[in-house]
Amino acid sequence: MRGSSRIVGALALAIPICTPAKPIAFADGTTVMAEYGAGTMKEIQIFYAPEYNYSVGGGHIEYDSVETPASQSITYLRLNYLLHRWNLESAQANIFVWGGAGSATGNAFRGAEFAGNAGAQADYETRRVYASVQTDWEGAADFSHRIDTLQLGIAPYEHDYNRLAAWFLVQARDYTGGLYRGTEWAALLRLFKGGAWVEAGVTNNGKLQAMAMFNF
Amino acid sequence: MKKLKFMAAALAVLLVSSASAATIEMNVNGLVCAFCAQGIEKRLRKLPATADVVVSLEQRLVAVALKDGQDISDADLRKALTDAGYKVIGIERSDESIAAVRARVKQDKP
């Protein structure tokens, strides 16, 4: 237990802020995900993991600034890699990194630009407690966005396999690149069973944040 | 001579018991979510000797039922779980049916 607390502390300090789903679900697994982020971003992704420690795939993301009229659309390919996993007696902790490239269009520049993306996530999870920090960057010649997310969650009961799991989460999200000024807070309800995961909630501005993910 | 016969008999019983194990139970670290269980189940069901799989997050247990007359070595089981991203702490073989294991796991839920 003392070891677990130390890991939580270390994760909280290690990376600026955090996120939700793992970018690699399991070996020989396909993950399809769609996310709506409080009016500032919409994203869809599909990944295949040949092994438990990496996955490859692609996605499409659209950014809409709430501060300016700027918007961008990026279609990308990405490699996710599990840098390290700690399998503890009743807990698991992971560090993931990812990176890729794609093509971006936007209303503030002409044509398509080469776009890069990179990020990292650290998470710690038991069947009652969840904590993750994530940083995600997408950029091109005419824009650069970084979204840092911290999520802390608690489960009202300990779920088991093939039973519905429920989580209450608090999320803090910080944007750079003019998408949103200040830190955006959100309260979320996460439900998953088998390979299906849905999550929805509201931000401090009363906007919807939602995500759905399917693993098979 | 008697001692030798006894040892041979004991060894034979052990070998028969091992060969006829109906279920293999593994104690596994890192089992915390449905995706863990899903990945492990998928990996184990690919083994030709696997008849059924039970995963319990509560018990940190992964149980494999074997097809009649078939077996999976401890090394292969450890490899399967390691390749799925988890750590096997212990392996036990028994004659308990997978249905009994499933019932026990269900009964042991808080």
Side-chain angles (χ1 to χ4, degrees):
Chain A
M1 190 62 196
R2 195 183 294 167
S4 307
S5 306
R6 267 194 225 129
I7 287 172
V8 173
L11 291 182
L13 293 170
I15 296 181
I17 310 211
C18 112
T19 210
K22 290 173 171 54
I24 310 164
F26 49 79
D28 192 26
T30 300
T31 300
V32 179
M33 192 198 80
E35 183 176 4
Y36 178 81
T40 53
M41 61 91 107
K42 296 187 277 285
E43 186 171 29
I44 52 168
Q45 293 181 331
I46 181 163
F47 287 101
Y48 172 72
E51 303 293 340
Y52 81 96
N53 60 350
Y54 78 95
S55 67
V56 289
H60 180 83
I61 188 164
E62 293 181 5
Y63 290 112
D64 287 301
S65 171
V66 295
E67 307 292 336
T68 70
S71 65
Q72 297 90 28
S73 293
I74 307 159
T75 302
Y76 59 83
L77 295 172
R78 179 178 290 173
L79 169 72
N80 300 302
Y81 183 69
L82 173 63
L83 206 59
H84 194 77
R85 167 171 290 170
W86 291 267
N87 282 312
L88 309 172
E89 191 175 321
S90 300
Q92 187 185 94
N94 300 284
I95 295 178
F96 297 96
V97 292
W98 55 86
S103 174
T105 57
N107 62 2
F109 54 91
R110 283 186 185 175
E113 291 185 351
F114 174 82
N117 64 77
Q121 174 177 321
D123 59 57
Y124 172 84
E125 161 177 30
T126 70
R127 290 195 299 140
R128 291 301 292 270
V129 175
Y130 176 81
S132 75
V133 292
Q134 181 190 43
T135 183
D136 205 0
W137 170 83
E138 301 252 8
D142 284 288
F143 69 92
S144 175
H145 295 304
R146 201 183 90 213
I147 302 178
D148 299 326
T149 310
L150 166 67
Q151 282 193 344
L152 299 172
I154 188 158
Y157 58 90
E158 291 185 326
H159 69 284
D160 212 326
Y161 186 31
N162 286 329
R163 289 183 66 202
L164 181 72
W167 288 84
F168 299 112
L169 296 114
V170 175
Q171 175 183 285
R173 191 166 260 182
D174 197 58
Y175 298 83
T176 57
L179 285 175
Y180 183 90
R181 194 171 298 154
T183 300
E184 178 191 74
W185 292 86
L188 302 163
L189 171 66
R190 172 182 298 167
L191 301 170
F192 60 83
K193 186 179 177 185
W197 166 312
V198 291
E199 184 177 293
V202 288
T203 66
N204 54 317
N205 297 316
K207 291 188 175 175
L208 172 73
Q209 184 183 314
M211 194 198 54
M213 185 172 73
F214 301 95
N215 291 298
F216 49 90
Chain B
M1 188 63 184
K2 261 186 185 175
K3 212 173 185 178
L4 199 65
K5 274 184 183 170
F6 175 76
M7 281 174 70
L11 189 64
V13 167
L14 271 175
L15 286 173
V16 168
S17 144
S18 168
S20 66
T23 306
I24 306 172
E25 294 185 28
M26 289 169 280
N27 185 234
V28 178
N29 272 7
L31 277 182
V32 290
C33 72
F35 298 153
C36 314
Q38 199 183 354
I40 287 170
E41 186 174 359
K42 193 171 182 177
R43 172 72 60 158
L44 289 172
R45 283 190 187 278
K46 280 185 181 168
L47 299 175
T50 301
D52 199 1
V53 178
V54 169
V55 181
S56 166
L57 305 182
E58 172 69 26
Q59 306 295 325
R60 302 192 295 274
L61 173 80
V62 176
V64 182
L66 297 170
K67 287 180 182 165
D68 281 347
Q70 298 194 39
D71 197 11
I72 307 170
S73 70
D74 286 8
D76 285 346
L77 288 167
R78 281 185 195 279
K79 184 177 184 322
L81 271 286
T82 304
D83 288 349
Y86 299 89
K87 187 177 180 184
V88 178
I89 300 302
I91 301 178
E92 272 184 32
R93 288 158 189 271
S94 78
D95 293 332
E96 194 176 15
S97 71
I98 197 78
V101 172
R102 193 173 271 124
R104 171 160 53 87
V105 158
K106 214 169 181 179
Q107 199 174 25
D108 288 347
K109 279 188 202 309

